[in-house]
Amino acid sequence: MACGASAQQTADSGSSSEDRQSLANRYIHEILPYWQHRLQLEEWNVHVLLSRPEDLRPGTLGNIHWDRDKKSATIRVMDSTGYHTDLTAMLKDMQVTVVHELVHLELASLPVSEADRSNQEFAIDRLTDALLAADEGRMLSGYLSVANPPALSR
Ligand SMILES: [Zn+2]
């Protein structure tokens, strides 16, 4: 995970921290419907937002809260101030967070005992890796190309 990674900042003079933040915000809103569709979670009303690192539980990169009756959920993703990596690594990691939290939602209907919770985290991480490996670079390559803005419909 990018958390704590010390990758060097890109030398791209055109990307201020505010650019990174607004790009991150746009990115998470763009990938959410794609992954929601792939995971067949379209009946859920899912919101995604960036969250300051200090507003997240220490050592976590995001979280999700859901209301099963209302079929609504909110995903929080650590914002760009928590990342000291280049833009690509940051966006990739944010995508990992979004997919990870959506897999939680996928499993929301299954009862989980406290004892199984960390096992479930491992399983979710592996599922997330597998999903993203199958999708490697697809969203990102289009997204990072200024000349070819990504299509919004899929
Ligand atoms: Zn988790």
Side-chain angles (χ1 to χ4, degrees):
M1 295 302 239
C3 193
S6 59
Q8 66 277 28
Q9 209 80 21
T10 41
D12 180 5
S13 56
S15 90
S16 69
S17 65
E18 176 153 24
D19 289 339
R20 274 165 69 89
Q21 195 77 290
S22 59
L23 210 58
N25 193 46
R26 202 147 52 86
Y27 182 68
I28 58 169
H29 283 89
E30 209 164 278
I31 61 171
L32 177 69
Y34 169 74
W35 285 107
Q36 212 180 325
H37 173 72
R38 278 203 58 183
L39 290 162
Q40 299 182 39
L41 290 167
E42 283 139 317
E43 75 274 23
W44 285 84
N45 189 12
V46 185
H47 300 278
V48 65
L49 56 105
L50 292 172
S51 191
R52 295 180 306 169
E54 55 266 39
D55 293 336
L56 297 170
R57 202 156 52 82
T60 63
L61 297 163
N63 60 48
I64 182 166
H65 292 100
W66 62 79
D67 184 319
R68 209 175 302 166
D69 299 328
K70 290 185 188 152
K71 285 265 176 189
S72 73
T74 301
I75 293 173
R76 285 184 175 76
V77 176
M78 186 173 73
D79 74 14
S80 67
T81 65
Y83 283 94
H84 306 286
T85 60
D86 66 25
L87 183 66
T88 307
M90 178 183 80
L91 295 180
K92 275 188 171 176
D93 200 63
M94 287 176 168
Q95 180 169 238
V96 172
T97 300
V98 169
V99 175
H100 176 106
E101 304 307 341
L102 284 174
V103 176
H104 268 293
L105 194 57
E106 192 78 77
L107 302 176
S109 57
L110 306 173
V112 181
S113 72
E114 256 336 290
D116 287 337
R117 229 166 254 288
S118 72
N119 285 334
Q120 180 175 288
E121 286 299 329
F122 283 122
I124 289 175
D125 282 341
R126 286 196 295 265
L127 286 165
T128 301
D129 283 351
L131 284 164
L132 287 166
D135 209 72
E136 182 59 41
R138 213 182 58 86
M139 292 293 289
L140 219 52
S141 60
Y143 195 82
L144 293 173
S145 165
V146 178
N148 298 300
L152 287 173
S153 57
R154 302 208 171 262

